[in-house]
Amino acid sequence: MFKQATDLDPNSAEAWAGLADALHTMGVYGDEAAFDQAKVAAKKALEIDPSQAQALMALGAVAFLYDWDPAQSEDYLRQAIAARPSYAMAHAIFATILGHRGKIEEAIQEIKLAAILDPVSVTINSFAWHVYFCARRYDDALQAIIATNEMDPTFRPAYWRLVTSWEQKGEYNKAIDAWVRGRIVGGETPESVTRMPRNSALRLPREDHAPTGSTNWIDPARRSFRAARRDLSHAPGNREESLKTLEEGYQRRRHYLIVWIAVYPEFDALRSEPRYQKLLHDLGLS
């Protein structure tokens, strides 16, 4: 739709910004080639209107997730909010990135403001989960994502957040149930969904338990980080395997590395390791 709009009116900053936002979202959901296209579209919008808030927001998201440049990301998002102070989604994305950077107090302020500006947005409410999870306010994170799920049970991204929260609390049966419901919402029939073992204290879901022919529930980047967490969870002294997994994620530019490496509490066991600190430094997180 936005591509058609840019074809019809190539001088519309709003059309280019909408295209940039759509492309950045495609990148988030796994099409990494879309990130570069999002940057091109956003810069087209800013050539026409240097204060186009949606384009600045898209660049901010891409700078963090894809370019691994948190400082530039923060700058773009502050510009977006300055250009349009009532832009709820910009506040929400800014809050999420601040949370993953460890700037918790400001992140909580931003996500609360986003919710005030757009209280019925399912996406914005789901971003509150990130902020509270990053703050290690795990009960608040769980309540935020339960409320999001109740608001719209068809919103599939809520389910992996539910899985993460329930497994973090050790509620593995509830994690499995959320995993199953997420797959059903994604289009699989209840009969086709294979439940994972309930008697295993593993980080869930594991890709080797996924049903044959299933849709991609968690992308390879997230699966690799779950593996790194699992190594530490079951054998806290097994730092080498976890470090290798994280370093491989860095070499392969798994964009979710920057999101989770400083957040999951299992990685606290690595904080004294120079290799872990180097990863944080190279990602702009320290």
Side-chain angles (χ1 to χ4, degrees):
M1 179 178 68
F2 289 110
K3 182 63 174 69
Q4 292 176 332
T6 60
D7 290 341
L8 289 170
D9 186 359
N11 294 314
S12 169
E14 290 75 16
W16 284 110
L19 179 60
D21 198 1
L23 287 166
H24 123 256
T25 302
M26 289 170 60
V28 169
Y29 285 101
D31 183 2
E32 294 202 9
F35 282 126
D36 277 325
Q37 298 171 40
K39 288 195 288 185
V40 171
K43 288 174 182 178
K44 278 273 192 182
L46 294 173
E47 287 174 6
I48 300 165
D49 178 2
S51 64
Q52 219 297 327
Q54 190 176 19
L56 290 163
M57 180 191 73
L59 284 174
V62 173
F64 185 75
L65 274 176
Y66 184 66
D67 294 333
W68 289 352
D69 190 342
Q72 181 68 79
S73 168
E74 190 170 319
D75 183 56
Y76 278 132
L77 285 158
R78 290 191 190 279
Q79 288 182 60
I81 289 167
R84 198 199 311 177
S86 62
Y87 194 3
M89 187 59 70
H91 285 284
I93 291 177
F94 189 35
T96 303
I97 289 171
L98 288 170
H100 285 280
R101 292 195 72 189
K103 298 184 176 185
I104 300 303
E105 185 175 341
E106 188 177 6
I108 291 172
Q109 292 173 353
E110 286 291 328
I111 200 63
K112 286 181 176 179
L113 178 55
I116 291 169
L117 291 168
D118 191 351
V120 299
S121 168
V122 175
T123 301
I124 288 173
N125 278 276
S126 74
F127 285 165
W129 176 87
H130 284 265
V131 172
Y132 292 117
F133 196 90
C134 290
R136 301 195 177 188
R137 290 170 52 173
Y138 298 123
D139 288 340
D140 290 334
L142 179 59
Q143 290 308 309
I145 204 60
I146 287 174
T148 301
N149 186 236
E150 290 173 348
M151 186 182 292
D152 183 1
T154 68
F155 182 65
R156 196 180 184 202
Y159 289 96
W160 72 260
R161 295 174 172 99
L162 277 170
V163 169
T164 301
S165 275
W166 284 126
E167 69 176 12
Q168 190 277 331
K169 294 177 71 67
E171 297 277 3
Y172 295 109
N173 286 347
K174 291 179 179 179
I176 292 166
D177 180 67
W179 179 79
V180 170
R181 289 189 291 122
R183 299 191 78 99
I184 292 170
V185 167
E188 296 183 49
T189 64
E191 296 76 18
S192 71
V193 177
T194 302
R195 288 180 175 268
M196 295 171 291
R198 291 178 176 268
N199 60 350
S200 173
L202 295 173
R203 291 293 168 182
L204 304 172
R206 292 178 60 195
E207 65 177 317
D208 52 339
H209 290 303
T212 301
S214 63
T215 57
N216 186 16
W217 168 239
I218 293 181
D219 68 34
R222 290 184 191 164
R223 284 199 294 267
S224 68
F225 302 139
R226 299 178 84 85
R229 293 169 62 206
R230 197 162 56 237
D231 288 338
L232 290 170
S233 179
H234 289 292
N238 192 9
R239 299 182 180 189
E240 183 62 26
E241 287 303 312
S242 292
L243 284 167
K244 284 182 179 178
T245 300
L246 295 174
E247 288 169 340
E248 180 185 0
Y250 182 85
Q251 293 299 323
R252 296 190 177 188
R253 292 199 62 83
R254 301 291 199 191
H255 64 266
Y256 276 99
L257 180 66
I258 196 170
V259 177
W260 296 116
I261 189 171
V263 171
Y264 282 135
E266 291 85 349
F267 294 152
D268 288 352
L270 301 177
R271 290 191 180 274
S272 62
E273 295 283 346
R275 287 159 63 191
Y276 179 80
Q277 289 300 323
K278 184 177 186 304
L279 285 169
L280 293 181
H281 178 269
D282 291 348
L283 289 164
L285 295 173
S286 68

